[in-house]
Amino acid sequence: MSDKRICVVLKPDGSHEQIEYEYTDDWQDKVLGGKMLELGEISPLNVMVGVMDPDAPGNGPNSEKLNTYEMPDPQPKRVGDLRKEGKLFGDILVYNGDGDFQLDRWIMYKENPEDFDVDEDDDEDEEEDDKDDDDDDE
């Protein structure tokens, strides 16, 4: 039984694409063509970001292409750090560890990141929970 999932790849030339992959223990390394370095989370989207590890020996052909893709803020701090150091090479992987992350959602986020404020949703959920608790007291 295969477990296919979807993620977004941000290419060194500034383009992006959605890909389907076979979910295995080393799927990230297969998609990137070399050992992955996890850079952190984009919390408004509940996704993780990874790149080819610039210090890992034997990484694939993309490992020599500097990635200039413009990511909206907030972005993981390590993305900016690697970019400043000139070590952000190859594809950038944006994925949901629990399932699919599709390109249309990335495009919506990239165009209007301020529309993805997690805190507002969390506050609404808490208010709803408080209301439910109040109803239980009656």
Side-chain angles (χ1 to χ4, degrees), residues 10-77:
L10 311 178
K11 307 300 271 175
D13 65 4
S15 65
H16 46 243
E17 68 181 0
Q18 175 176 297
I19 63 165
E20 183 178 75
Y21 61 91
E22 186 78 31
Y23 183 73
T24 61
D25 289 341
D26 61 347
W27 73 268
Q28 297 105 325
D29 299 346
K30 289 178 182 175
V31 169
L32 290 172
K35 188 71 179 154
M36 185 185 88
L37 173 65
E38 192 171 280
L39 297 180
E41 179 181 18
I42 299 175
S43 56
L45 292 174
N46 192 32
V47 294
M48 299 300 295
V49 176
V51 296
M52 225 181 296
D53 187 338
D55 299 321
N59 274 339
N62 277 336
S63 64
E64 295 178 9
K65 297 177 185 171
L66 191 63
N67 193 305
T68 59
Y69 191 96
E70 293 292 325
M71 294 176 67
D73 289 323
Q75 58 182 291
K77 180 183 180 311

Short mmCIF file of all heavy atoms in Angstrom, two decimals, residues 10-77:
data_model
loop_
_atom_site.label_atom_id
_atom_site.label_comp_id
_atom_site.label_asym_id
_atom_site.label_seq_id
_atom_site.Cartn_x
_atom_site.Cartn_y
_atom_site.Cartn_z
N LEU A 10 10.14 25.25 -3.82
CA LEU A 10 10.50 26.60 -4.25
C LEU A 10 11.85 26.49 -4.94
O LEU A 10 12.85 26.13 -4.32
CB LEU A 10 10.58 27.54 -3.04
CG LEU A 10 9.38 27.48 -2.08
CD1 LEU A 10 9.59 28.43 -0.92
CD2 LEU A 10 8.08 27.77 -2.81
N LYS A 11 11.88 26.78 -6.23
CA LYS A 11 13.05 26.52 -7.08
C LYS A 11 14.07 27.66 -7.01
O LYS A 11 13.71 28.81 -6.75
CB LYS A 11 12.61 26.33 -8.53
CG LYS A 11 11.51 25.28 -8.73
CD LYS A 11 11.89 23.93 -8.28
CE LYS A 11 12.56 23.16 -9.37
NZ LYS A 11 13.05 21.86 -8.95
N PRO A 12 15.34 27.36 -7.26
CA PRO A 12 16.39 28.39 -7.25
C PRO A 12 16.14 29.54 -8.22
O PRO A 12 16.55 30.67 -7.97
CB PRO A 12 17.65 27.62 -7.65
CG PRO A 12 17.38 26.22 -7.23
CD PRO A 12 15.91 26.03 -7.46
N ASP A 13 15.42 29.28 -9.32
CA ASP A 13 15.18 30.34 -10.32
C ASP A 13 14.00 31.24 -9.96
O ASP A 13 13.63 32.12 -10.73
CB ASP A 13 14.97 29.72 -11.70
CG ASP A 13 13.70 28.87 -11.79
OD1 ASP A 13 12.92 28.79 -10.81
OD2 ASP A 13 13.48 28.26 -12.86
N GLY A 14 13.39 31.02 -8.78
CA GLY A 14 12.28 31.86 -8.35
C GLY A 14 10.91 31.29 -8.66
O GLY A 14 9.89 31.86 -8.27
N SER A 15 10.85 30.15 -9.34
CA SER A 15 9.56 29.51 -9.62
C SER A 15 9.19 28.57 -8.48
O SER A 15 9.98 28.34 -7.56
CB SER A 15 9.64 28.75 -10.95
OG SER A 15 10.56 27.68 -10.85
N HIS A 16 7.99 28.04 -8.55
CA HIS A 16 7.54 27.07 -7.55
C HIS A 16 6.71 26.00 -8.24
O HIS A 16 6.16 26.23 -9.31
CB HIS A 16 6.75 27.73 -6.42
CG HIS A 16 5.72 28.71 -6.91
ND1 HIS A 16 5.78 30.05 -6.61
CD2 HIS A 16 4.64 28.57 -7.69
CE1 HIS A 16 4.77 30.67 -7.17
NE2 HIS A 16 4.06 29.81 -7.83
N GLU A 17 6.64 24.83 -7.63
CA GLU A 17 5.84 23.75 -8.19
C GLU A 17 5.32 22.85 -7.09
O GLU A 17 5.88 22.79 -6.00
CB GLU A 17 6.65 22.94 -9.21
CG GLU A 17 7.79 22.14 -8.62
CD GLU A 17 8.58 21.37 -9.67
OE1 GLU A 17 8.26 21.45 -10.86
OE2 GLU A 17 9.53 20.67 -9.27
N GLN A 18 4.23 22.19 -7.42
CA GLN A 18 3.65 21.20 -6.53
C GLN A 18 4.12 19.84 -7.02
O GLN A 18 4.10 19.57 -8.21
CB GLN A 18 2.14 21.30 -6.58
CG GLN A 18 1.41 20.24 -5.78
CD GLN A 18 -0.09 20.46 -5.79
OE1 GLN A 18 -0.55 21.46 -5.29
NE2 GLN A 18 -0.83 19.53 -6.35
N ILE A 19 4.54 18.99 -6.09
CA ILE A 19 4.93 17.64 -6.49
C ILE A 19 4.25 16.62 -5.60
O ILE A 19 3.90 16.90 -4.46
CB ILE A 19 6.46 17.45 -6.45
CG1 ILE A 19 7.00 17.61 -5.04
CG2 ILE A 19 7.16 18.37 -7.41
CD1 ILE A 19 8.39 17.08 -4.88
N GLU A 20 4.07 15.45 -6.16
CA GLU A 20 3.55 14.32 -5.41
C GLU A 20 4.72 13.39 -5.13
O GLU A 20 5.58 13.19 -6.00
CB GLU A 20 2.48 13.59 -6.23
CG GLU A 20 1.84 12.44 -5.48
CD GLU A 20 0.76 11.76 -6.31
OE1 GLU A 20 1.13 11.01 -7.24
OE2 GLU A 20 -0.42 11.99 -6.01
N TYR A 21 4.78 12.85 -3.94
CA TYR A 21 5.88 11.98 -3.57
C TYR A 21 5.37 10.79 -2.78
O TYR A 21 4.27 10.82 -2.23
CB TYR A 21 6.94 12.75 -2.75
CG TYR A 21 6.40 13.31 -1.45
CD1 TYR A 21 6.45 12.57 -0.27
CD2 TYR A 21 5.82 14.58 -1.40
CE1 TYR A 21 5.95 13.07 0.91
CE2 TYR A 21 5.31 15.08 -0.22
CZ TYR A 21 5.38 14.34 0.93
OH TYR A 21 4.87 14.83 2.10
N GLU A 22 6.18 9.76 -2.78
CA GLU A 22 5.92 8.57 -1.98
C GLU A 22 6.43 8.83 -0.57
O GLU A 22 7.62 9.10 -0.39
CB GLU A 22 6.64 7.37 -2.60
CG GLU A 22 6.33 6.06 -1.95
CD GLU A 22 4.97 5.51 -2.37
OE1 GLU A 22 4.55 5.77 -3.51
OE2 GLU A 22 4.35 4.83 -1.54
N TYR A 23 5.55 8.77 0.42
CA TYR A 23 5.95 9.05 1.79
C TYR A 23 6.72 7.87 2.37
O TYR A 23 6.19 6.79 2.58
CB TYR A 23 4.72 9.37 2.65
CG TYR A 23 5.07 9.73 4.06
CD1 TYR A 23 5.65 10.95 4.34
CD2 TYR A 23 4.82 8.85 5.11
CE1 TYR A 23 5.99 11.29 5.64
CE2 TYR A 23 5.15 9.19 6.41
CZ TYR A 23 5.74 10.40 6.67
OH TYR A 23 6.07 10.74 7.95
N THR A 24 8.01 8.09 2.61
CA THR A 24 8.89 7.10 3.23
C THR A 24 9.73 7.84 4.28
O THR A 24 9.65 9.07 4.40
CB THR A 24 9.84 6.46 2.19
OG1 THR A 24 10.65 7.50 1.61
CG2 THR A 24 9.07 5.74 1.11
N ASP A 25 10.56 7.09 5.00
CA ASP A 25 11.39 7.72 6.03
C ASP A 25 12.35 8.77 5.47
O ASP A 25 12.68 9.73 6.14
CB ASP A 25 12.20 6.66 6.80
CG ASP A 25 11.32 5.81 7.71
OD1 ASP A 25 10.20 6.25 8.03
OD2 ASP A 25 11.76 4.72 8.08
N ASP A 26 12.80 8.57 4.23
CA ASP A 26 13.78 9.50 3.65
C ASP A 26 13.22 10.28 2.46
O ASP A 26 13.96 10.70 1.58
CB ASP A 26 15.05 8.75 3.25
CG ASP A 26 14.79 7.69 2.19
OD1 ASP A 26 13.62 7.35 1.93
OD2 ASP A 26 15.78 7.20 1.62
N TRP A 27 11.90 10.49 2.43
CA TRP A 27 11.28 11.15 1.27
C TRP A 27 11.86 12.53 0.99
O TRP A 27 12.04 12.92 -0.16
CB TRP A 27 9.76 11.22 1.44
CG TRP A 27 9.28 12.22 2.44
CD1 TRP A 27 9.03 11.99 3.76
CD2 TRP A 27 9.00 13.60 2.21
NE1 TRP A 27 8.61 13.14 4.37
CE2 TRP A 27 8.58 14.15 3.44
CE3 TRP A 27 9.05 14.42 1.09
CZ2 TRP A 27 8.22 15.49 3.58
CZ3 TRP A 27 8.70 15.75 1.23
CH2 TRP A 27 8.29 16.27 2.47
N GLN A 28 12.18 13.31 2.06
CA GLN A 28 12.71 14.66 1.84
C GLN A 28 14.03 14.61 1.08
O GLN A 28 14.26 15.41 0.17
CB GLN A 28 12.91 15.41 3.16
CG GLN A 28 11.65 15.64 3.94
CD GLN A 28 11.55 14.72 5.14
OE1 GLN A 28 11.98 13.58 5.11
NE2 GLN A 28 10.98 15.22 6.22
N ASP A 29 14.90 13.69 1.44
CA ASP A 29 16.20 13.56 0.78
C ASP A 29 16.01 13.18 -0.69
O ASP A 29 16.74 13.66 -1.56
CB ASP A 29 17.06 12.52 1.49
CG ASP A 29 17.37 12.89 2.94
OD1 ASP A 29 17.14 14.05 3.32
OD2 ASP A 29 17.83 12.01 3.68
N LYS A 30 15.03 12.32 -0.96
CA LYS A 30 14.76 11.91 -2.35
C LYS A 30 14.24 13.09 -3.17
O LYS A 30 14.65 13.28 -4.31
CB LYS A 30 13.77 10.75 -2.37
CG LYS A 30 14.36 9.45 -1.87
CD LYS A 30 13.33 8.35 -1.86
CE LYS A 30 13.92 7.06 -1.32
NZ LYS A 30 12.91 6.02 -1.18
N VAL A 31 13.33 13.86 -2.60
CA VAL A 31 12.76 15.00 -3.33
C VAL A 31 13.82 16.06 -3.60
O VAL A 31 13.90 16.63 -4.70
CB VAL A 31 11.56 15.62 -2.56
CG1 VAL A 31 11.14 16.94 -3.15
CG2 VAL A 31 10.39 14.64 -2.53
N LEU A 32 14.66 16.33 -2.62
CA LEU A 32 15.68 17.38 -2.75
C LEU A 32 16.91 16.91 -3.53
O LEU A 32 17.66 17.73 -4.05
CB LEU A 32 16.12 17.88 -1.38
CG LEU A 32 15.09 18.70 -0.61
CD1 LEU A 32 15.57 18.96 0.80
CD2 LEU A 32 14.78 19.99 -1.34
N GLY A 33 17.15 15.63 -3.57
CA GLY A 33 18.34 15.12 -4.25
C GLY A 33 19.57 15.09 -3.36
O GLY A 33 20.69 15.00 -3.83
N GLY A 34 19.36 15.19 -2.08
CA GLY A 34 20.46 15.16 -1.12
C GLY A 34 19.94 15.28 0.29
O GLY A 34 18.74 15.44 0.52
N LYS A 35 20.82 15.20 1.26
CA LYS A 35 20.44 15.26 2.68
C LYS A 35 19.75 16.58 3.01
O LYS A 35 20.23 17.66 2.66
CB LYS A 35 21.71 15.10 3.53
CG LYS A 35 21.44 14.97 5.00
CD LYS A 35 20.82 13.63 5.29
CE LYS A 35 20.58 13.49 6.79
NZ LYS A 35 19.51 12.58 7.09
N MET A 36 18.59 16.50 3.68
CA MET A 36 17.82 17.70 4.02
C MET A 36 18.27 18.30 5.36
O MET A 36 18.57 17.59 6.30
CB MET A 36 16.34 17.40 4.10
CG MET A 36 15.51 18.67 4.32
SD MET A 36 13.75 18.40 4.56
CE MET A 36 13.68 18.14 6.32
N LEU A 37 18.26 19.62 5.40
CA LEU A 37 18.45 20.38 6.63
C LEU A 37 17.13 21.07 6.93
O LEU A 37 16.65 21.87 6.13
CB LEU A 37 19.57 21.42 6.44
CG LEU A 37 19.79 22.41 7.57
CD1 LEU A 37 20.27 21.68 8.83
CD2 LEU A 37 20.81 23.47 7.14
N GLU A 38 16.51 20.73 8.05
CA GLU A 38 15.24 21.35 8.43
C GLU A 38 15.51 22.76 8.95
O GLU A 38 16.36 22.95 9.81
CB GLU A 38 14.55 20.51 9.49
CG GLU A 38 13.12 20.92 9.72
CD GLU A 38 12.40 19.93 10.61
OE1 GLU A 38 11.97 18.88 10.10
OE2 GLU A 38 12.29 20.22 11.81
N LEU A 39 14.77 23.73 8.41
CA LEU A 39 15.01 25.13 8.77
C LEU A 39 14.00 25.70 9.75
O LEU A 39 14.24 26.74 10.34
CB LEU A 39 15.04 26.00 7.51
CG LEU A 39 16.15 25.67 6.53
CD1 LEU A 39 16.06 26.59 5.33
CD2 LEU A 39 17.51 25.78 7.18
N GLY A 40 12.87 25.07 9.88
CA GLY A 40 11.88 25.56 10.82
C GLY A 40 10.49 25.55 10.24
O GLY A 40 10.23 24.94 9.21
N GLU A 41 9.59 26.28 10.90
CA GLU A 41 8.17 26.26 10.58
C GLU A 41 7.70 27.61 10.09
O GLU A 41 8.19 28.65 10.53
CB GLU A 41 7.39 25.86 11.84
CG GLU A 41 5.90 25.82 11.65
CD GLU A 41 5.15 25.45 12.92
OE1 GLU A 41 5.73 25.56 14.02
OE2 GLU A 41 3.98 25.06 12.81
N ILE A 42 6.73 27.58 9.19
CA ILE A 42 5.96 28.78 8.86
C ILE A 42 4.64 28.58 9.59
O ILE A 42 3.74 27.88 9.12
CB ILE A 42 5.75 28.93 7.34
CG1 ILE A 42 7.08 29.05 6.62
CG2 ILE A 42 4.87 30.15 7.05
CD1 ILE A 42 6.98 29.08 5.11
N SER A 43 4.54 29.14 10.78
CA SER A 43 3.42 28.83 11.67
C SER A 43 2.06 29.22 11.13
O SER A 43 1.09 28.49 11.36
CB SER A 43 3.66 29.41 13.06
OG SER A 43 3.88 30.79 12.99
N PRO A 44 1.91 30.33 10.39
CA PRO A 44 0.57 30.62 9.88
C PRO A 44 0.01 29.54 8.95
O PRO A 44 -1.19 29.39 8.82
CB PRO A 44 0.74 31.94 9.12
CG PRO A 44 1.93 32.58 9.72
CD PRO A 44 2.83 31.44 10.10
N LEU A 45 0.89 28.77 8.35
CA LEU A 45 0.46 27.70 7.44
C LEU A 45 0.56 26.32 8.06
O LEU A 45 0.12 25.34 7.48
CB LEU A 45 1.33 27.72 6.17
CG LEU A 45 1.18 28.91 5.26
CD1 LEU A 45 2.20 28.85 4.13
CD2 LEU A 45 -0.22 28.97 4.68
N ASN A 46 1.19 26.23 9.22
CA ASN A 46 1.43 24.95 9.88
C ASN A 46 2.23 24.01 8.96
O ASN A 46 1.87 22.85 8.76
CB ASN A 46 0.12 24.30 10.31
CG ASN A 46 0.36 23.13 11.24
OD1 ASN A 46 1.31 23.12 12.01
ND2 ASN A 46 -0.51 22.13 11.16
N VAL A 47 3.30 24.56 8.37
CA VAL A 47 4.17 23.78 7.48
C VAL A 47 5.61 23.94 7.92
O VAL A 47 5.97 24.90 8.60
CB VAL A 47 4.03 24.19 5.99
CG1 VAL A 47 2.64 23.86 5.47
CG2 VAL A 47 4.36 25.65 5.78
N MET A 48 6.42 23.00 7.48
CA MET A 48 7.85 23.01 7.75
C MET A 48 8.60 23.39 6.48
O MET A 48 8.08 23.23 5.38
CB MET A 48 8.32 21.64 8.23
CG MET A 48 7.67 21.17 9.52
SD MET A 48 7.96 22.29 10.91
CE MET A 48 9.72 22.12 11.10
N VAL A 49 9.83 23.88 6.67
CA VAL A 49 10.68 24.28 5.55
C VAL A 49 12.01 23.56 5.68
O VAL A 49 12.59 23.50 6.77
CB VAL A 49 10.90 25.81 5.56
CG1 VAL A 49 11.86 26.22 4.47
CG2 VAL A 49 9.58 26.55 5.43
N GLY A 50 12.48 23.03 4.56
CA GLY A 50 13.78 22.36 4.55
C GLY A 50 14.51 22.65 3.25
O GLY A 50 13.90 22.99 2.24
N VAL A 51 15.83 22.54 3.31
CA VAL A 51 16.68 22.70 2.12
C VAL A 51 17.73 21.61 2.14
O VAL A 51 17.93 20.93 3.14
CB VAL A 51 17.40 24.08 2.09
CG1 VAL A 51 16.42 25.21 1.99
CG2 VAL A 51 18.32 24.26 3.28
N MET A 52 18.44 21.50 1.03
CA MET A 52 19.56 20.60 0.99
C MET A 52 20.63 21.11 1.96
O MET A 52 20.94 22.30 1.96
CB MET A 52 20.13 20.54 -0.42
CG MET A 52 20.42 19.15 -0.85
SD MET A 52 21.11 19.04 -2.49
CE MET A 52 19.82 19.66 -3.50
N ASP A 53 21.13 20.26 2.80
CA ASP A 53 22.13 20.64 3.78
C ASP A 53 23.40 21.10 3.06
O ASP A 53 24.03 20.31 2.35
CB ASP A 53 22.44 19.45 4.69
CG ASP A 53 23.35 19.80 5.85
OD1 ASP A 53 24.07 20.81 5.76
OD2 ASP A 53 23.33 19.05 6.83
N PRO A 54 23.79 22.38 3.22
CA PRO A 54 24.96 22.88 2.49
C PRO A 54 26.27 22.24 2.94
O PRO A 54 27.26 22.29 2.21
CB PRO A 54 24.97 24.38 2.80
CG PRO A 54 24.20 24.53 4.06
CD PRO A 54 23.19 23.41 4.07
N ASP A 55 26.26 21.60 4.10
CA ASP A 55 27.49 20.99 4.62
C ASP A 55 27.55 19.48 4.43
O ASP A 55 28.55 18.86 4.79
CB ASP A 55 27.65 21.33 6.10
CG ASP A 55 27.77 22.83 6.33
OD1 ASP A 55 28.42 23.50 5.51
OD2 ASP A 55 27.18 23.34 7.30
N ALA A 56 26.49 18.90 3.87
CA ALA A 56 26.47 17.45 3.66
C ALA A 56 27.21 17.09 2.37
O ALA A 56 26.96 17.70 1.33
CB ALA A 56 25.04 16.94 3.62
N PRO A 57 28.11 16.13 2.44
CA PRO A 57 28.84 15.74 1.22
C PRO A 57 27.94 14.99 0.25
O PRO A 57 27.01 14.31 0.65
CB PRO A 57 29.95 14.83 1.75
CG PRO A 57 29.43 14.33 3.05
CD PRO A 57 28.52 15.39 3.60
N GLY A 58 28.21 15.16 -1.04
CA GLY A 58 27.53 14.37 -2.06
C GLY A 58 26.12 14.76 -2.39
O GLY A 58 25.35 13.94 -2.89
N ASN A 59 25.70 15.99 -2.10
CA ASN A 59 24.35 16.39 -2.46
C ASN A 59 24.21 16.52 -3.96
O ASN A 59 25.18 16.70 -4.68
CB ASN A 59 23.97 17.70 -1.75
CG ASN A 59 23.42 17.44 -0.36
OD1 ASN A 59 22.97 16.34 -0.05
ND2 ASN A 59 23.46 18.44 0.49
N GLY A 60 22.96 16.45 -4.44
CA GLY A 60 22.65 16.39 -5.86
C GLY A 60 22.97 17.64 -6.66
O GLY A 60 23.58 18.59 -6.16
N PRO A 61 22.53 17.65 -7.94
CA PRO A 61 22.90 18.72 -8.87
C PRO A 61 22.39 20.11 -8.48
O PRO A 61 23.01 21.10 -8.84
CB PRO A 61 22.29 18.27 -10.19
CG PRO A 61 21.25 17.28 -9.83
CD PRO A 61 21.69 16.65 -8.55
N ASN A 62 21.29 20.19 -7.76
CA ASN A 62 20.78 21.50 -7.35
C ASN A 62 21.60 22.14 -6.24
O ASN A 62 21.41 23.29 -5.90
CB ASN A 62 19.32 21.40 -6.88
CG ASN A 62 18.36 21.45 -8.03
OD1 ASN A 62 18.67 21.98 -9.09
ND2 ASN A 62 17.19 20.89 -7.82
N SER A 63 22.50 21.38 -5.64
CA SER A 63 23.22 21.87 -4.47
C SER A 63 24.18 23.01 -4.79
O SER A 63 24.69 23.66 -3.89
CB SER A 63 23.97 20.74 -3.77
OG SER A 63 24.96 20.22 -4.62
N GLU A 64 24.41 23.28 -6.08
CA GLU A 64 25.30 24.37 -6.44
C GLU A 64 24.55 25.61 -6.92
O GLU A 64 25.17 26.61 -7.25
CB GLU A 64 26.28 23.89 -7.51
CG GLU A 64 27.20 22.80 -6.98
CD GLU A 64 28.15 22.28 -8.04
OE1 GLU A 64 28.20 22.87 -9.13
OE2 GLU A 64 28.83 21.28 -7.75
N LYS A 65 23.23 25.55 -6.97
CA LYS A 65 22.42 26.67 -7.45
C LYS A 65 21.90 27.48 -6.26
O LYS A 65 21.11 26.99 -5.46
CB LYS A 65 21.24 26.15 -8.28
CG LYS A 65 21.67 25.43 -9.53
CD LYS A 65 20.47 24.89 -10.27
CE LYS A 65 20.91 24.06 -11.47
NZ LYS A 65 19.79 23.36 -12.08
N LEU A 66 22.35 28.72 -6.16
CA LEU A 66 21.89 29.61 -5.09
C LEU A 66 20.39 29.86 -5.25
O LEU A 66 19.93 30.17 -6.34
CB LEU A 66 22.66 30.92 -5.15
CG LEU A 66 22.50 31.85 -3.95
CD1 LEU A 66 23.04 31.18 -2.69
CD2 LEU A 66 23.24 33.15 -4.20
N ASN A 67 19.63 29.70 -4.18
CA ASN A 67 18.19 29.89 -4.26
C ASN A 67 17.84 31.33 -3.95
O ASN A 67 18.14 31.85 -2.88
CB ASN A 67 17.47 28.95 -3.29
CG ASN A 67 15.99 28.89 -3.56
OD1 ASN A 67 15.32 29.92 -3.59
ND2 ASN A 67 15.48 27.70 -3.78
N THR A 68 17.17 31.99 -4.90
CA THR A 68 16.80 33.40 -4.77
C THR A 68 15.30 33.58 -4.61
O THR A 68 14.80 34.69 -4.72
CB THR A 68 17.27 34.19 -6.01
OG1 THR A 68 16.66 33.63 -7.17
CG2 THR A 68 18.78 34.14 -6.13
N TYR A 69 14.56 32.50 -4.34
CA TYR A 69 13.11 32.58 -4.21
C TYR A 69 12.75 33.54 -3.09
O TYR A 69 13.28 33.46 -1.98
CB TYR A 69 12.53 31.19 -3.91
CG TYR A 69 11.03 31.14 -4.03
CD1 TYR A 69 10.44 30.70 -5.20
CD2 TYR A 69 10.21 31.54 -3.00
CE1 TYR A 69 9.06 30.66 -5.33
CE2 TYR A 69 8.84 31.50 -3.12
CZ TYR A 69 8.26 31.06 -4.29
OH TYR A 69 6.89 31.02 -4.41
N GLU A 70 11.84 34.46 -3.37
CA GLU A 70 11.40 35.45 -2.38
C GLU A 70 10.26 34.89 -1.54
O GLU A 70 9.13 34.76 -2.02
CB GLU A 70 10.95 36.74 -3.07
CG GLU A 70 12.07 37.49 -3.75
CD GLU A 70 13.07 38.07 -2.77
OE1 GLU A 70 12.67 38.50 -1.66
OE2 GLU A 70 14.26 38.10 -3.11
N MET A 71 10.55 34.53 -0.30
CA MET A 71 9.53 34.03 0.62
C MET A 71 8.97 35.18 1.43
O MET A 71 9.71 36.05 1.87
CB MET A 71 10.14 33.00 1.58
CG MET A 71 10.60 31.73 0.92
SD MET A 71 11.39 30.61 2.09
CE MET A 71 10.02 30.14 3.12
N PRO A 72 7.64 35.19 1.63
CA PRO A 72 7.06 36.24 2.47
C PRO A 72 7.39 36.00 3.94
O PRO A 72 7.69 34.88 4.35
CB PRO A 72 5.56 36.11 2.22
CG PRO A 72 5.36 34.70 1.79
CD PRO A 72 6.63 34.28 1.10
N ASP A 73 7.35 37.06 4.73
CA ASP A 73 7.49 36.93 6.18
C ASP A 73 6.14 36.60 6.78
O ASP A 73 5.11 37.01 6.25
CB ASP A 73 8.03 38.23 6.77
CG ASP A 73 9.49 38.46 6.41
OD1 ASP A 73 10.24 37.47 6.36
OD2 ASP A 73 9.87 39.61 6.16
N PRO A 74 6.06 35.85 7.87
CA PRO A 74 7.21 35.34 8.58
C PRO A 74 7.77 34.10 7.89
O PRO A 74 7.03 33.29 7.37
CB PRO A 74 6.64 34.97 9.95
CG PRO A 74 5.22 34.62 9.68
CD PRO A 74 4.79 35.49 8.53
N GLN A 75 9.07 34.00 7.89
CA GLN A 75 9.75 32.83 7.39
C GLN A 75 10.72 32.35 8.47
O GLN A 75 11.09 33.13 9.34
CB GLN A 75 10.48 33.12 6.09
CG GLN A 75 11.52 34.23 6.21
CD GLN A 75 12.19 34.51 4.88
OE1 GLN A 75 12.94 33.68 4.42
NE2 GLN A 75 11.94 35.68 4.32
N PRO A 76 11.06 31.09 8.44
CA PRO A 76 12.01 30.62 9.46
C PRO A 76 13.29 31.45 9.45
O PRO A 76 13.83 31.75 8.39
CB PRO A 76 12.27 29.18 9.05
CG PRO A 76 11.07 28.77 8.28
CD PRO A 76 10.63 30.01 7.56
N LYS A 77 13.77 31.84 10.61
CA LYS A 77 14.97 32.67 10.73
C LYS A 77 16.16 32.04 10.02
O LYS A 77 16.96 32.74 9.41
CB LYS A 77 15.29 32.88 12.21
CG LYS A 77 16.52 33.74 12.44
CD LYS A 77 16.83 33.86 13.93
CE LYS A 77 18.04 34.69 14.23
NZ LYS A 77 19.23 34.39 13.47
#
